[in-house]
Amino acid sequence: MAGHNFLFVPGPSNVPNRVLRAMAVPMEDHRSVTFPTLTREVLAGLRRLFKTEHGHPILFPSSGTGCWEAALTNCLNPGDAILASRFGQFSHLWCDMGQRLGFDMNVLETEWGEGAPVERTRDALAADGEHRIKAVLVCHNETATGVSSDIAAIRRVMDELNHPALLFVDSVSGLGSLDFRMDEWKVDVCVSGSQKGLMLPAGMGITCVSAKALEAARNSRYPRCYFDYQDMVRSNAGGYFPYTPSIPMLYGLRESLAMLEEEGLEHVFARHHYLAEGVRAAVLQGWKLSLCAKEPRWYSDSVSAIVVPEGFNASLVIERAYRRYNLALGAGLSKVAGKVFRIGHLGDLNELMLMGAIAGAEMAMLDCGIPVTPGSGVAAASEYWRTHEAPPGLGGRS
Ligand SMILES: *Cc1c(COP(=O)(O)O)cnc(C)c1O
């Protein structure tokens, strides 16, 4: 096929050429005397990204899922009670993992399209006077439904009740795209990965653990080895890893962290919001369709899940977009399969790249008989972007 593929799934995201080039390196001795410089640079950059002074960033050769498992098996004891909410495929999978690892999962079933239920979390914690619940699991950005949750509000509830449970947050599709504040929100474990906001290939689990989480890990009897936090923290202190790290991924991560810092984290978040608002204008005002996210306060700035009208199959739109226009849109997962398609708007993106996705999705919908007005999505997005001031990361050349 002529031209390049338009990759608009919400992960893996586009890897910038700068990162690709940084990853093209010969292998080297990961036990050399100079290697700790690279390790320390990367870990310091991650501390700034997680907004933590005392938290320990940890890198596992896994995807985000490995970091979910590490959080549960390092900080908890077999059979411990966990409070979680389920409102999409990713929050579901973490609950399912907890179940399969033998924890006592207390799940707040929440409608898909809503965010983490703050009041029901408060009720559940208030009813737990004996502090049986050892951890609260929250998905910061539910990629399946395009919903962001208010982590600060969950922390406030825990503080008001003086509940000592650990707070575990999945920010796999949030970190590097949406504001995340490890220390301010007193998050004990943040779980993330390389292939979303960090603009890298998949294959590196990126997590950050608080001093309280490490203390819990010292007291945990849950068997673990490869994913042991303490082994990692001990080796990292000297600038090394307990086993062979992926050297290209470390150089790539160093470069993507540098790119985020050059743009400025707050500008990166503003860019994601600005781009997301253009996509939402296309969906809501242009196509007159709806988002899976039920209220504006839950709208995700890194992914939009678009509901196709009753009687149409979103999977056919995705297939048409891919086969005919070389555009990869995100599929509807599990409960919303066939009902939604997703546009990922995270990582290395600007307005005109997104215009390709909006135009392609529009053509694919028309081809499938969905009665959207031709050109309406592109017109609404362009109207938004032309009439709102762009953050410095976009159109900065005067
Ligand atoms: C992508 C994603 C995951 C899973 O991460 P993998 O890297 O595929 O293991 C978990 N949670 C959320 C919210 C995600 O978007």
Side-chain angles (χ1 to χ4, degrees):
M1 254 188 184
H4 66 82
N5 173 251
F6 277 67
L7 181 64
F8 280 89
V9 294
S13 64
N14 296 290
V15 181
N17 288 340
R18 227 180 109 171
V19 171
L20 286 175
R21 280 193 296 270
M23 294 183 72
V25 290
M27 290 308 104
E28 63 184 88
D29 176 13
H30 63 289
R31 303 193 196 282
S32 77
V33 290
T34 55
F35 194 79
T37 311
L38 174 62
T39 307
R40 293 201 171 106
E41 238 181 290
V42 164
L43 295 182
L46 284 172
R47 262 190 208 102
R48 294 190 292 272
L49 178 65
F50 282 108
K51 296 189 178 170
T52 184
E53 264 183 58
H54 306 295
H56 288 259
I58 291 177
L59 303 171
F60 286 119
S62 70
S63 68
T65 303
C67 298
W68 276 347
E69 182 156 331
L72 301 179
T73 59
N74 275 273
C75 304
L76 302 173
N77 281 299
D80 273 356
I82 294 175
L83 179 66
S85 45
R86 169 157 45 208
F87 44 84
Q89 181 65 3
F90 293 97
S91 43
H92 160 68
L93 286 172
W94 207 3
C95 291
D96 179 61
M97 174 186 276
Q99 190 104 38
R100 287 163 63 174
L101 293 173
F103 296 101
D104 169 16
M105 296 304 297
N106 299 259
V107 179
L108 303 172
E109 298 296 348
T110 304
E111 220 187 307
W112 286 37
E114 295 183 5
V118 177
E119 289 316 311
R120 285 163 65 214
T121 300
R122 179 200 308 277
D123 295 345
L125 291 174
D128 181 40
E130 295 160 34
H131 296 161
R132 280 182 54 256
I133 294 168
K134 301 301 180 199
V136 176
L137 269 47
V138 191
C139 185
H140 182 204
N141 191 68
E142 176 51 83
T143 320
T145 56
V147 158
S148 291
S149 286
D150 187 350
I151 305 302
I154 300 285
R155 168 44 72 191
R156 266 195 303 279
V157 161
M158 295 174 73
D159 283 355
E160 278 163 28
L161 295 167
N162 253 320
H163 200 291
L166 297 160
L167 176 58
F168 294 173
V169 176
D170 170 344
S171 195
V172 180
S173 60
L175 189 76
S177 304
L178 316 181
D179 195 10
F180 185 86
R181 305 177 185 194
M182 181 93 186
D183 285 2
E184 188 181 319
W185 299 338
K186 288 181 270 173
V187 172
D188 291 297
V189 180
C190 176
V191 169
S192 196
S194 51
Q195 79 275 25
K196 302 201 177 163
L198 281 158
M199 311 174 286
L200 293 159
M204 184 184 259
I206 299 175
T207 191
C208 192
V209 303
S210 72
K212 184 174 162 187
L214 281 181
E215 179 60 33
R218 276 188 283 277
N219 299 319
S220 156
R221 284 170 282 105
Y222 204 103
R224 63 197 177 259
C225 176
Y226 192 70
F227 286 105
D228 193 274
Y229 285 165
Q230 286 156 287
D231 290 351
M232 197 54 92
V233 168
R234 215 174 292 126
S235 290
N236 284 174
Y240 297 98
F241 289 85
Y243 34 74
T244 322
S246 165
I247 285 156
M249 286 294 272
L250 287 173
Y251 281 106
L253 177 57
R254 184 173 72 173
E255 195 68 14
S256 77
L257 289 168
M259 287 178 71
L260 293 173
E261 292 201 353
E262 283 168 26
E263 185 173 348
L265 277 186
E266 303 313 310
H267 294 157
V268 170
F269 306 146
R271 174 168 56 84
H272 280 81
H273 179 70
Y274 179 84
L275 293 174
E277 285 283 289
V279 172
R280 290 190 283 261
V283 174
L284 302 171
Q285 286 144 42
W287 299 332
K288 307 207 182 318
L289 296 177
S290 50
L291 291 163
C292 187
K294 295 209 182 311
E295 289 179 27
R297 66 184 162 126
W298 290 316
Y299 287 172
S300 164
D301 283 339
S302 66
V303 52
S304 293
I306 297 136
V307 182
V308 298
E310 199 79 38
F312 292 97
N313 184 351
S315 309
L316 297 178
V317 176
I318 294 162
E319 187 179 341
R320 179 72 184 172
Y322 188 71
R323 284 190 191 279
R324 175 68 182 82
Y325 303 114
N326 206 4
L327 164 66
L329 297 168
L333 303 173
S334 158
K335 255 194 203 179
V336 290
K339 297 189 175 133
V340 309
F341 67 86
R342 294 174 297 155
I343 297 179
H345 30 84
L346 72 174
D348 185 38
L349 278 186
N350 62 24
E351 298 96 324
L352 295 192
M353 290 164 86
L354 263 172
M355 279 299 200
I358 293 169
E362 191 172 292
M363 288 194 282
M365 283 194 286
L366 287 164
D367 294 348
C368 292
I370 297 178
V372 292
T373 304
S376 61
V378 169
S382 95
E383 180 64 16
Y384 179 85
W385 288 324
R386 287 179 45 250
T387 56
H388 291 77
E389 197 185 337
L394 294 166
R397 294 180 195 87
S398 52

